[in-house]
Amino acid sequence: MTADVVVAGGGVIGTAIAWRAAAAGLDVVVVDPDCGEAASMVAAGMLAPVSESLFGEDALLRLNLLALRRFPAFAAELEEATGHRVGLRREGTLAVAYDPGDHAVLARLTAFRRSVGLDAEELDGRACRRLEPFLAPDVRGGVLCAGDWSVDNRRYAAALREAMRAAGVRAVPDRVVRVRTRDGRACGVQLAGGSGTGTVDCAAVVVAAGCWSAGIAGLPETLRDAVRPVKGQLLRLRMPAGMPPVLSHTVRATVRGTDVYLVPRADGEMIVGATSEERGHDLTVTAGAVHDLLHDAMSVLPVTSELILAETCTGLRPGTPDNGPIVGPAGPAGLVVATGHYRNGILLSAVTAVAAVACLTGQRAAPEWEPFSPRRFVELVRSQ
Amino acid sequence: MTADVVVAGGGVIGTAIAWRAAAAGLDVVVVDPDCGEAASMVAAGMLAPVSESLFGEDALLRLNLLALRRFPAFAAELEEATGHRVGLRREGTLAVAYDPGDHAVLARLTAFRRSVGLDAEELDGRACRRLEPFLAPDVRGGVLCAGDWSVDNRRYAAALREAMRAAGVRAVPDRVVRVRTRDGRACGVQLAGGSGTGTVDCAAVVVAAGCWSAGIAGLPETLRDAVRPVKGQLLRLRMPAGMPPVLSHTVRATVRGTDVYLVPRADGEMIVGATSEERGHDLTVTAGAVHDLLHDAMSVLPVTSELILAETCTGLRPGTPDNGPIVGPAGPAGLVVATGHYRNGILLSAVTAVAAVACLTGQRAAPEWEPFSPRRFVELVRSQ
């Protein structure tokens, strides 16, 4: 099998890149064990640039803000291409605080949002409950973040897969184990063998396999070492028959120092997430995590106890030492990396696709990407 | 299709009856939509006659004690017949108390056990933790109930199904909707139609369909009205790889007035149960129930938080107005009822099978069954 480009990894990052690369006229093959069905199932789909970047991570914040600005047009094009809605919700996020300590955290968030020019409308407890009548009486106050949206991650991922296939991308249900090179250039990939194909010859390879990117030989060692799995457990709840939606905004809460988010979906589902655990590739659902998520959700939204626990999910975010993604050329010519998106995979997917295609077609990526080049990890090691 | 006996319902009660009836020489057909696979999946398998009967329910206690005495021989015969172990555990139950109010409840239980001649060894907190080192430091004390055993309900149910089939019982994957009569005698059953068979002709019918017995026409109305579904949610937890078992006894705890039980299995599983809810035939798993079960389990056994939440289950117990089962001849000649076992289906399965076969073969059931005849509901109505 031959192609212009092989994309290793079929999650939202890989499929978004494959779609845009095919739209740019390239012949693309995506390699993924389950063609991305599994990975994209575990996410909340929040598009919240500020609350996902920590104080001091200014470069990441600038990138996230770029991503938020670009997302609606990308989603609109995707909906246009497929005829499917991806569930973009523009109601905004209501961040609420539970006790005085939580309130102090919220005040810092508000100041930070305003310092970067984002909306942040302070509300007392009563105003919060006017927006979301089911919030607990204990909720002291909150901040309405009008620009923080959400998307239905499952619809979004399914639309990306459909758009990609419609654009002529071929999907190979296998796993890339090695990037092959000849004369210092990437020239193909070796497959684990599930499909029996063995290899795919190509002119360029994009490694977009999330935390599994670390397992692909042929990538610079220091890059492989930079990506680690960060386990996240989340819950999918459903309204019982006849119950109206209990939430209209995404609610982020700090409950006695612990963050929990509740993301409503148009179909009546509600996502509650998420843990953040350093447990290697462990994908088990643990009793303690489910308890804590339910406990925190019920603290801010007591009616949660009446909802149906439809699903418990675990996913592995690709974490990096500086919490920033790793996108750009790496190692041999023709090799592009697009991983390390950590908690921002969905938010960053659109701009990552554009940046990766720019790399493949010899164009410049947006300047916001400069700090997130794979070079920073290679240089880090050299300077030691 | 014809048979000597049709058993409507293939849960543990139905399969136990079918097995013993076939062993007594009768030609038996069992009718159940999924041949009992589903119903018997949801249970903890505790064999605990006292803690499952309330003060004042003396007749039920006598029946439960008979059931406990007879269970080991029945289980041994089942293991002999099938070559499979059913996971009978004789370590006993450790009932523990969390706060002073819980301790008072425990003291009443102890006095009650002793009054009926059962073992009840009082232990202080330290002695409890010597038996079960993972118990929380908050556990104030407990009582070791040496005679309260447990059985692996899934293994037990699977063995009953196998023994039943080996004894020549035919299983029809359908649902009985009506008991047919001729000249005041049961003469067959009408099926819902899933299998296309339509009817089965027979000389006797045993209705053992749990709370679904209420939906079978041809049963006296007052009997149908006496059986209601009582929803129970429970959790199945597993040890992570490499973790030794965290419990060796069944632990029953009263945590701030709420009962929770933790039942260890030989294969490292641990059952946590159970809610008791009046919600009709609703089978949803609710966020509040899962939270409360995990919370109470973690209160007495903190290590629970590290376990894997393998499964959330819901079942419907067949409840009755007096919490007692309904076993014996009912209405037309040749019709036997065996339902209403509420929380004691597994404990009572062995003696119920013996009693039902006694009815079918014209023998007398044990005197402990006398108060649990279907007549009590029919007479109740007549006297109004």
Side-chain angles (χ1 to χ4, degrees):
Chain A
M1 189 183 269
T2 64
D4 292 335
V5 181
V6 169
V7 178
V12 285
I13 301 293
T15 48
I17 292 171
W19 174 41
R20 297 323 299 162
L26 295 166
D27 178 33
V28 183
V29 163
V30 166
V31 182
D32 193 281
D34 63 356
C35 292
E37 301 273 351
S40 54
M41 297 298 271
V42 185
M46 283 183 298
L47 306 172
V50 166
S51 37
E52 293 292 346
S53 50
L54 301 174
F55 297 93
E57 293 176 349
D58 297 341
L60 184 55
L61 177 64
R62 279 192 297 274
L63 180 65
N64 286 348
L65 290 172
L66 172 73
L68 185 71
R69 287 196 301 276
R70 298 289 162 82
F71 198 90
F74 186 84
E77 191 172 348
L78 183 60
E79 291 187 337
E80 175 76 27
T82 60
H84 296 311
R85 312 291 292 176
V86 299
L88 187 63
R89 292 183 71 132
R90 298 169 184 256
E91 285 86 352
T93 292
L94 180 62
V96 300
Y98 194 77
D99 70 16
D102 302 332
H103 220 126
V105 172
L106 197 63
R108 293 210 311 159
L109 174 71
T110 308
F112 187 38
R113 285 187 70 90
R114 287 177 176 161
S115 74
V116 297
L118 282 170
D119 276 355
E121 183 191 349
E122 280 173 285
L123 304 170
D124 62 16
R126 182 182 292 187
C128 287
R129 280 182 288 278
R130 246 194 318 268
L131 285 179
E132 292 294 350
F134 287 101
L135 283 178
D138 315 71
V139 166
R140 301 281 186 102
V143 174
L144 181 62
C145 306
D148 283 7
W149 302 331
S150 72
V151 68
D152 185 327
N153 61 298
R154 293 189 177 185
R155 286 171 179 269
Y156 178 65
L160 280 174
R161 285 196 297 274
E162 188 174 319
M164 171 188 99
R165 287 196 200 99
V169 173
R170 289 166 288 163
V172 174
D174 206 325
R175 194 164 51 81
V176 170
V177 291
R178 174 182 296 276
V179 176
R180 297 165 65 223
T181 55
R182 191 185 306 125
D183 303 331
R185 276 199 65 85
C187 67
V189 296
Q190 188 182 327
L191 305 178
S195 70
T197 319
T199 60
V200 185
D201 296 326
C202 59
V205 176
V206 180
V207 171
C211 70
W212 291 274
S213 303
I216 297 179
L219 246 66
E221 275 306 313
T222 51
L223 253 185
R224 294 172 64 178
D225 291 346
V227 182
R228 73 182 196 285
V230 181
K231 179 177 175 179
Q233 300 189 51
L234 57 78
L235 312 174
R236 304 185 89 86
L237 306 178
R238 274 195 295 116
M239 312 297 139
M243 185 187 280
V246 294
L247 218 56
S248 55
H249 302 75
T250 291
V251 168
R252 297 187 70 108
T254 313
V255 181
R256 300 182 203 92
T258 306
D259 287 327
V260 64
Y261 55 74
L262 298 87
V263 185
R265 294 273 190 262
D267 59 5
E269 220 180 35
M270 185 175 87
I271 315 297
V272 175
T275 66
S276 196
E277 307 165 67
E278 304 280 349
R279 294 207 183 207
H281 287 83
D282 171 43
L283 277 167
T284 56
V285 172
T286 58
V290 173
H291 170 270
D292 293 351
L293 289 170
L294 289 173
H295 180 264
D296 292 344
M298 285 161 61
S299 297
V300 287
L301 196 77
V303 71
T304 302
S305 70
E306 300 300 316
L307 305 190
I308 296 165
L309 178 59
E311 207 180 325
T312 54
C313 324
T314 313
L316 300 176
R317 311 175 187 93
T320 62
D322 59 7
N323 295 336
I326 308 175
V327 175
L335 174 61
V336 173
V337 169
T339 182
H341 291 76
Y342 193 35
R343 298 164 67 96
N344 294 310
I346 298 207
L347 172 63
L348 291 173
S349 55
V351 288
T352 298
V354 173
V357 172
C359 292
L360 292 170
T361 57
Q363 295 172 291
R364 278 186 66 87
E368 284 85 348
W369 281 107
E370 186 54 37
F372 300 104
S373 158
R375 284 191 305 274
R376 72 192 192 279
F377 293 109
V378 180
E379 283 162 4
L380 199 71
V381 165
R382 279 194 193 136
S383 68
Q384 280 176 350
Chain B
M1 188 184 271
T2 62
D4 292 335
V5 181
V6 169
V7 178
V12 287
I13 301 293
T15 48
I17 292 170
W19 175 42
R20 297 323 299 162
L26 295 166
D27 178 33
V28 183
V29 163
V30 166
V31 182
D32 193 280
D34 62 356
C35 292
E37 300 274 350
S40 53
M41 296 300 270
V42 186
M46 284 184 298
L47 305 172
V50 167
S51 36
E52 293 293 344
S53 50
L54 300 173
F55 296 92
E57 294 176 350
D58 297 340
L60 183 56
L61 177 65
R62 278 192 297 274
L63 180 64
N64 286 348
L65 290 172
L66 172 73
L68 185 72
R69 287 195 301 275
R70 299 287 163 80
F71 197 90
F74 186 83
E77 191 173 348
L78 182 59
E79 291 187 336
E80 175 75 26
T82 60
H84 295 311
R85 312 290 291 177
V86 298
L88 187 63
R89 293 182 70 131
R90 297 169 184 257
E91 284 86 352
T93 291
L94 180 62
V96 299
Y98 194 77
D99 70 16
D102 301 332
H103 220 125
V105 173
L106 197 63
R108 294 210 309 160
L109 175 70
T110 308
F112 187 37
R113 285 188 70 89
R114 286 178 176 161
S115 74
V116 297
L118 282 171
D119 275 355
E121 182 190 350
E122 279 174 284
L123 303 171
D124 62 16
R126 182 182 292 187
C128 288
R129 281 183 288 279
R130 248 196 314 269
L131 284 180
E132 292 294 350
F134 287 100
L135 283 178
D138 315 73
V139 167
R140 301 280 185 105
V143 174
L144 181 63
C145 307
D148 283 8
W149 302 330
S150 72
V151 67
D152 184 327
N153 61 298
R154 293 189 179 187
R155 286 170 179 269
Y156 178 66
L160 281 173
R161 284 196 297 274
E162 189 175 319
M164 170 188 101
R165 287 197 200 98
V169 173
R170 288 166 290 163
V172 174
D174 207 324
R175 194 164 50 81
V176 170
V177 291
R178 175 182 294 275
V179 176
R180 297 166 65 226
T181 54
R182 191 184 308 127
D183 304 329
R185 277 200 64 87
C187 66
V189 296
Q190 186 182 330
L191 305 179
S195 70
T197 318
T199 59
V200 184
D201 296 325
C202 58
V205 176
V206 181
V207 172
C211 70
W212 291 274
S213 303
I216 297 178
L219 246 66
E221 275 306 313
T222 50
L223 253 186
R224 294 172 65 177
D225 290 346
V227 182
R228 73 182 195 284
V230 181
K231 179 178 175 179
Q233 301 189 50
L234 57 80
L235 312 175
R236 305 185 88 87
L237 306 178
R238 275 194 295 117
M239 312 296 140
M243 185 187 278
V246 295
L247 218 56
S248 55
H249 303 74
T250 290
V251 168
R252 297 187 73 107
T254 313
V255 180
R256 300 183 202 91
T258 306
D259 287 326
V260 64
Y261 55 75
L262 298 87
V263 185
R265 293 275 189 261
D267 59 5
E269 222 180 34
M270 185 174 88
I271 314 298
V272 175
T275 66
S276 196
E277 306 165 69
E278 304 280 349
R279 294 206 184 208
H281 287 83
D282 170 42
L283 276 167
T284 57
V285 173
T286 58
V290 173
H291 170 269
D292 293 351
L293 289 171
L294 288 174
H295 180 265
D296 292 343
M298 286 162 61
S299 297
V300 286
L301 195 76
V303 72
T304 302
S305 70
E306 301 299 316
L307 305 190
I308 296 166
L309 180 58
E311 208 179 323
T312 53
C313 324
T314 313
L316 299 176
R317 310 175 188 94
T320 63
D322 58 8
N323 295 336
I326 308 175
V327 176
L335 174 61
V336 174
V337 169
T339 183
H341 291 75
Y342 194 33
R343 298 164 66 98
N344 294 310
I346 298 208
L347 171 64
L348 291 173
S349 56
V351 288
T352 298
V354 173
V357 172
C359 293
L360 292 170
T361 57
Q363 293 172 291
R364 278 185 67 87
E368 285 86 349
W369 282 108
E370 186 54 37
F372 300 104
S373 156
R375 284 190 305 273
R376 71 191 192 279
F377 294 109
V378 179
E379 284 164 3
L380 199 69
V381 166
R382 278 194 194 138
S383 69
Q384 279 176 352

